[in-house]
Amino acid sequence: QVQLVESGGGLVQPGGSLRLSCAASGSIFSINAMGWYRQAPGKERELVASVASGGTTNYADSVKGRFTISRDNADNTVYLQMNSLKPEDTAVYYCNAHVTSPTYYTLIYWGQGTQVTVSS
């Protein structure tokens, strides 16, 4: 089994910054793509950013230039640096990881979610 543990959410004023972390642990041979998604009340879950094992990144248009995704392959951790936060960034943020097990099965795992609230 694999566990993804997120941290770093909270309440921040508009224009502020937060950094989310997500650490993967368990039965891991390798991790391919890692990403962050978010879900606001009454809306569907959407991709925020993703990073491939080689470092290629992808961002939603709404966060380009404000958010930065990065990963530490040695620690199986993915980060999301969020700057210039807006009220519309308020959501529960989930990390996910495409994990290959030692028996070479690849499954997608999700974290439990962390609340980000942007409000004055």
Side-chain angles (χ1 to χ4, degrees), residues 8 12-20 38 48-49 59-70 79-90 93 116 118:
V12 64
Q13 292 187 342
S17 298
L18 282 175
R19 190 189 194 211
L20 306 182
R38 67 186 180 187
V48 177
Y59 294 94
D61 287 343
S62 59
V63 306
K64 283 181 180 176
R66 300 188 298 122
F67 291 11
T68 302
I69 190 170
S70 61
Y79 304 96
L80 186 68
Q81 178 66 43
M82 305 185 293
N83 298 329
S84 302
L85 282 160
K86 304 176 181 179
E88 51 264 43
D89 295 317
T90 296
Y93 284 69
V116 171
V118 185

Side-chain angles (χ1 to χ4, degrees), residues 58-120:
N58 179 50
Y59 294 94
D61 287 343
S62 59
V63 306
K64 283 181 180 176
R66 300 188 298 122
F67 291 11
T68 302
I69 190 170
S70 61
R71 63 188 285 174
D72 182 335
N73 291 329
D75 289 339
N76 293 328
T77 301
V78 62
Y79 304 96
L80 186 68
Q81 178 66 43
M82 305 185 293
N83 298 329
S84 302
L85 282 160
K86 304 176 181 179
E88 51 264 43
D89 295 317
T90 296
V92 178
Y93 284 69
Y94 299 89
C95 71
N96 88 343
H98 295 226
V99 178
T100 299
S101 72
T103 54
Y104 305 111
Y105 284 99
T106 298
L107 296 174
I108 299 174
Y109 292 91
W110 291 88
Q112 79 283 1
T114 185
Q115 177 71 46
V116 171
T117 302
V118 185
S119 175
S120 55

Side-chain angles (χ1 to χ4, degrees), residues 2-7 21-25 36 77-78 95 110-113:
V2 173
Q3 296 79 40
L4 300 183
V5 178
E6 301 153 351
S7 61
S21 300
C22 174
S25 63
W36 289 95
T77 301
V78 62
C95 71
W110 291 88
Q112 79 283 1

